[in-house]
Amino acid sequence: MSALGGVQSLGARSIAFVRDLGRFSVFSLRLGNAARRPPYRWRRLVREIYDTGVLSLVIVCISGLAVGMVLGLQGHNTLARFGATGSLGAVVGLSLIRELGPVLTSLLVAGRAGSAMAAEIASMVVTEQLDGLRMMSVDPLDFVVAPKAQAMLISMPLLSTLFVLFGIFGGYVVGVVVLGGDPGSYMSTLTDAVVFRDDVLGGFLKAGVFGLLVGLVATYRGYTALPTSTGVSAAATSTVVIASVATLIVDYFITALWGY
Amino acid sequence: MDAAPALAKPIEVEAQGLHYARGGRVIMHDLSCRFPAGRISVVVGASGCGKTTLLRMIACLNRPHAGRILIDGTEDVAHLSDGEVHAFRRRVGMLFQGGALLDSMTVFDNVALPLREHSGFPESRIRDEVHRVFEAVGLANVDELLPGQLSGGMVKRAGLARALVERPDLLLCDEPFSGLDPPTIRRIEELLLFVNQNLGGTMIITSHHNETTMRIADHVVMMVDRAAVSGRPRELLAGGDARVAEFFADVADSVPGAAP
Ligand SMILES: Nc1ncnc2c1ncn2[C@@H]1O[C@H](COP(=O)(O)OP(=O)(O)O)[C@@H](O)[C@H]1O
Ligand SMILES: [Mg+2]
């Protein structure tokens, strides 16, 4: 009996999941359409980019620095076993540029700006602000939602770049200043090892994909929130969970399929 | 609103056999009622009986599960296409219960929004139009304020200004008197009467202030038992329906000809 109940609830959950995925796809297509068609709301977009950036700037920089310092320490200890501490710059730089920069930035931004974005849209649903726009024959997807999703898409690669730069600096501080490595070889192994097209551009694109992902999840969760106060908080928390897990899963596929 | 007050072409609204259920509960069952053109109709009924839902149906924000909502006896707004909904809403203004002003934009920008989106007027003309409605609804020096900085009465006025700025043929007001002190209620009442006399559109107002209803209504629609009874206020009270008499018990004395 309980086994049957378990199967039933598993089935119900799978159906709900697939249905949600379908709705998410329809939402994404409609949002893409709204964003593609004029009027282009540049001023709203710039403002959203500014808001997203301001929310995330400090945590991204601090986290980048901290991660870079840890990489410096760990990398130094590991490389010391092979007598290769000179290549610390390459190790720190490549890990950050290819993997840690985009992924950790995405997790941080999902937790900070993504949840705020979902909560803001959800509270606009609760207070009938989106219905108010509809009554003025203004499409809320076009006016409110699209600029937010686009802002996420644009700011993620920029924030990820910042994360990487601070990380490389953090690795330098630990590897060179604290542990007394050679400053010249830190930078030269870094620049020698990094291939612009594969590593830098790849990491940048990866961050862009994550930005799109976080932006879509946050706006979808906000837009479809239940019109209650628990609906607002549920939109915010589920955004963090879904966007973070999706980031990690998509990261695997990007790496496996395209090698970035 | 004196200079060139392009008079509205009042809309007559007629609901026929509306059915609506939500969360497994039937809210409307074969509900029919009429809202005469150019008049003030007040929708009353116990809270939770579906007044807001009825207004939202007329505004195409909710769709009835069965039944029709006729505009001027012909067009059925319950079954319009997206494009037709846009066109219809250009003729409709709606004041939401909480104002539904966009809280990230100033009061001026909120009221200017429909004009900026649709009219193609130059900014100077928009400023004049907005200030004219501000004057009509009795708002001054609020241009740069955010909606969060307004009092309850001012929020209703600003919401009304936004609903009126495109000179609608049909004005829907959801609980315009709720949460206001008695003097403010009086002023909003006068404001609605003023707007009705000077703009000449049809008005549908939901309210649970019986005194106000008796003062301003040309026509009362009372929602009872998932359907509606309606008529001129005095006729309705004199009609001998026990449910109506009970609902209006607090004002029965002040209405001549309506013996309890
Ligand atoms: N989002 C919702 N989900 C489920 N039921 C709802 C929702 N919104 C309103 N209702 C139900 O619909 C009924 C009518 O609501 P409403 O039109 O707001 O009533 P009124 O405006 O007369 O107070 C209420 O009984 C309420 O319980
Ligand atoms: Mg209501």
Side-chain angles (χ1 to χ4, degrees):
Chain A
M1 193 62 209
S2 78
L4 191 63
V7 171
Q8 263 177 354
S9 88
L10 187 69
R13 267 191 234 169
S14 314
I15 292 170
F17 175 74
V18 172
R19 187 184 307 146
D20 218 25
L21 211 58
R23 289 203 185 123
F24 177 71
S25 316
V26 171
F27 170 86
S28 304
L29 289 177
R30 285 179 54 204
L31 193 60
N33 257 325
R36 233 184 34 220
R37 276 196 311 262
Y40 303 111
R41 305 188 182 276
W42 297 113
R43 284 177 50 175
R44 294 188 66 79
L45 176 60
V46 168
R47 192 178 154 165
E48 294 295 344
I49 294 174
Y50 179 82
D51 284 351
T52 313
V54 166
L55 280 180
S56 314
L57 204 60
V58 174
I59 57 164
V60 164
C61 293
I62 293 177
S63 307
L65 193 67
V67 168
M69 290 169 75
V70 171
L71 282 177
L73 218 50
Q74 293 278 19
H76 180 89
N77 292 342
T78 310
L79 291 171
R81 298 181 198 176
F82 308 104
T85 47
S87 354
L88 184 64
V91 170
V92 171
L94 280 178
S95 347
L96 281 168
I97 292 170
R98 291 182 62 102
E99 203 53 54
L100 294 175
V103 171
L104 293 180
T105 305
S106 180
L107 298 182
L108 290 168
V109 171
R112 188 75 185 86
S115 60
M117 193 173 271
E120 190 185 344
I121 297 175
S123 71
M124 293 177 84
V125 172
V126 178
T127 55
E128 298 184 305
Q129 291 180 48
L130 299 188
D131 285 331
L133 282 171
R134 291 190 180 99
M135 287 315 294
M136 295 183 274
S137 295
V138 177
D139 182 3
L141 276 183
D142 176 56
F143 192 82
V144 173
V145 180
K148 288 188 189 294
Q150 286 169 299
M152 201 55 104
L153 170 64
I154 293 169
S155 37
M156 191 73 83
L158 303 178
L159 289 167
S160 167
T161 304
L162 215 56
F163 186 102
V164 170
L165 292 177
F166 270 79
I168 290 173
F169 175 69
Y172 183 90
V173 168
V174 169
V176 175
V177 181
V178 178
L179 300 175
D182 176 36
S185 68
Y186 184 87
M187 288 320 287
S188 67
T189 54
L190 176 66
T191 47
D192 285 350
V194 172
V195 180
F196 180 80
R197 196 177 152 275
D198 280 358
D199 302 325
V200 179
L201 212 58
F204 205 73
L205 286 178
K206 204 179 209 177
V209 172
F210 294 159
L212 186 66
L213 198 66
V214 175
L216 286 176
V217 170
T219 51
Y220 174 72
R221 283 282 142 182
Y223 192 74
T224 56
L226 292 177
T228 58
S229 46
T230 47
V232 176
S233 60
T237 47
S238 71
T239 294
V240 179
V241 174
I242 297 172
S244 303
V245 173
T247 293
L248 297 172
I249 294 174
V250 169
D251 182 40
Y252 173 80
F253 284 105
I254 292 177
T255 311
L257 296 179
W258 293 301
Y260 290 142
Chain B
M1 316 204 57
D2 31 31
L7 273 185
K9 292 191 291 297
I11 290 180
E12 185 185 63
V13 180
E14 186 172 359
Q16 295 179 342
L18 297 180
H19 284 262
Y20 192 75
R22 200 155 198 185
R25 263 186 54 224
V26 177
I27 293 162
M28 293 176 195
H29 180 80
D30 199 17
L31 181 146
S32 299
C33 57
R34 208 174 61 84
F35 302 96
R39 296 298 165 80
I40 299 183
S41 300
V42 179
V43 180
V44 301
S47 64
C49 70
K51 301 183 292 293
T52 301
T53 308
L54 181 63
L55 276 199
R56 291 175 59 90
M57 278 180 185
I58 296 169
C60 297
L61 290 169
N62 290 0
R63 299 226 163 178
H65 298 144
R68 307 194 297 171
I69 297 175
L70 297 183
I71 295 305
D72 291 331
T74 51
E75 202 178 8
D76 179 6
V77 298
H79 300 99
L80 295 180
S81 70
D82 283 356
E84 290 165 333
V85 167
H86 268 255
F88 171 64
R89 284 186 182 149
R90 296 290 311 281
R91 298 180 64 194
V92 180
M94 185 156 179
L95 168 60
F96 289 84
Q97 181 164 3
L101 299 168
L102 294 166
D103 47 24
S104 58
M105 288 165 55
T106 64
V107 175
F108 180 90
D109 287 339
N110 263 286
V111 177
L113 178 62
L115 294 175
R116 284 182 178 146
E117 288 293 314
H118 304 300
S119 70
F121 292 162
E123 202 55 31
S124 60
R125 169 97 191 263
I126 289 177
R127 201 173 322 116
D128 292 347
E129 294 273 335
V130 171
H131 285 143
R132 188 155 60 197
V133 270
F134 276 169
E135 201 186 314
V137 302
L139 279 177
N141 303 322
V142 294
D143 284 18
E144 297 306 320
L145 296 182
L146 291 171
Q149 298 169 301
L150 301 181
S151 70
M154 285 161 91
V155 166
K156 302 271 187 192
R157 282 162 193 265
L160 192 59
R162 192 177 69 176
L164 289 174
V165 75
E166 284 202 291
R167 301 162 195 262
D169 300 330
L170 172 64
L171 180 67
L172 307 170
C173 301
D174 193 13
E175 307 275 1
F177 311 110
S178 69
L180 301 181
D181 53 281
T184 311
I185 291 180
R186 291 275 187 162
R187 282 204 292 276
I188 302 272
E189 262 176 43
E190 280 159 21
L191 183 55
L192 291 173
L193 285 168
F194 174 84
V195 166
N196 183 247
Q197 276 152 20
N198 288 272
L199 271 178
T202 306
M203 266 190 202
I204 306 178
I205 298 169
T206 70
S207 173
H208 53 251
H209 282 249
N210 288 340
E211 288 174 38
T212 302
T213 304
M214 287 302 147
R215 279 197 293 264
I216 66 172
D218 297 314
H219 188 80
V220 174
V221 172
M222 178 170 172
M223 297 180 69
V224 274
D225 296 339
R226 293 172 284 168
V229 290
S230 59
R232 291 162 167 280
R234 286 181 190 170
E235 290 167 10
L236 191 65
L237 261 73
D241 188 324
R243 298 168 305 184
V244 176
E246 189 193 345
F247 190 82
F248 284 102
D250 61 329
V251 292
D253 305 338
S254 58
V255 180

